């Protein structure tokens, strides 16, 4: 039962954090509020983002309240997991610092998955000839990220997004788990 509760807490934190980060990216890409995807992201995260907007101002075009909301979700999830799984005698500043570090790493993983999902969606939409309002938004988001890999554009074929997707996948699937495993071993008493 405890393992199932742990997985449910982690899954819920991941889903809500990814929605907050997707909301931030879609606002940066200037997706119109009436679009169903924007409506879904806003309605599912307003309860957390709106109160944070009173505290944290936007940073240029970036809605920092969305990023802070995602980070807070992970901090709360790791705190709850610690309370459920660790004896009270182990609680202290080391556990709090470790939870903050793991929350920041989880935030980078969520950001990588959100970016990867949007990039794959952009690639699929580029194969079709029909215009979609989301295409312009995705291009505004990913064009600056793909620019360093512009040397991979050969004629009308653009492979710059493929290299970015590969880097994001490596970070989320290989590098980050190795870092977390190393930190877990380091934190053992």
């Amino acid at each position: 039962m405890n393992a199932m509760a742990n997985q449910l807490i982690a899954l819920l934190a991941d889903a809500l954090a990814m929605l907050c980060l997707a909301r931030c990216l879609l606002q940066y890409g200037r997706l119109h509020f009436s679009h169903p995807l924007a409506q879904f992201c806003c309605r599912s995260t307003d309860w957390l983002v709106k109160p944070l907007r009173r505290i944290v101002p936007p940073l240029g075009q970036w809605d920092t309240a969305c990023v802070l909301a995602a980070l807070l979700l992970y901090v709360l999830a790791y705190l709850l997991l610690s309370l459920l799984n660790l004896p009270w005698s182990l609680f202290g500043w080391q556990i709090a610092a470790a939870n903050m570090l793991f929350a920041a790493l989880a935030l980078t993983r969520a950001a990588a998955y959100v970016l990867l999902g949007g990039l794959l969606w952009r690639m699929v939409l580029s194969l079709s000839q029909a215009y979609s309002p989301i295409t312009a938004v995705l291009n505004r988001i990913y064009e600056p990220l793909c620019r360093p890999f512009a040397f991979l554009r050969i004629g009308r074929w653009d492979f710059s997004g493929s290299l970015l997707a590969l880097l994001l996948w490596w970070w989320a699937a290989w590098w980050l788990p190795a870092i977390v495993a190393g930190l877990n071993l380091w934190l053992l008493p």
Side-chain angles (χ1 to χ4, degrees), residues 21-93:
L21 295 173
R23 175 182 179 159
C24 181
L25 277 177
L26 292 173
Q27 288 173 356
Y28 172 78
R30 296 186 299 272
L31 181 64
H32 195 272
F33 183 73
S34 65
H35 193 277
L37 183 59
Q39 288 283 318
F40 176 73
C41 288
C42 288
R43 287 185 180 159
S44 56
T45 58
D46 269 349
W47 62 274
L48 183 57
V49 172
K50 280 188 175 182
L52 290 174
R53 280 206 182 120
R54 290 185 223 131
I55 302 167
V56 182
L59 187 62
Q61 295 179 346
W62 294 100
D63 187 0
T64 52
C66 292
V67 178
L68 181 61
L71 180 63
L72 285 176
L73 285 165
Y74 281 122
V75 168
L76 290 173
Y78 280 106
L79 175 66
L80 188 57
L81 289 172
S82 296
L83 290 172
L84 290 174
N85 296 303
L86 294 176
W88 284 97
S89 61
L90 288 180
F91 276 93
W93 67 270

Side-chain angles (χ1 to χ4, degrees), residues 4-23:
M4 183 182 280
N6 292 347
Q7 289 177 345
L8 183 62
I9 291 167
L11 183 64
L12 187 60
D14 280 337
L16 288 172
M18 285 183 198
L19 281 171
C20 288
L21 295 173
R23 175 182 179 159

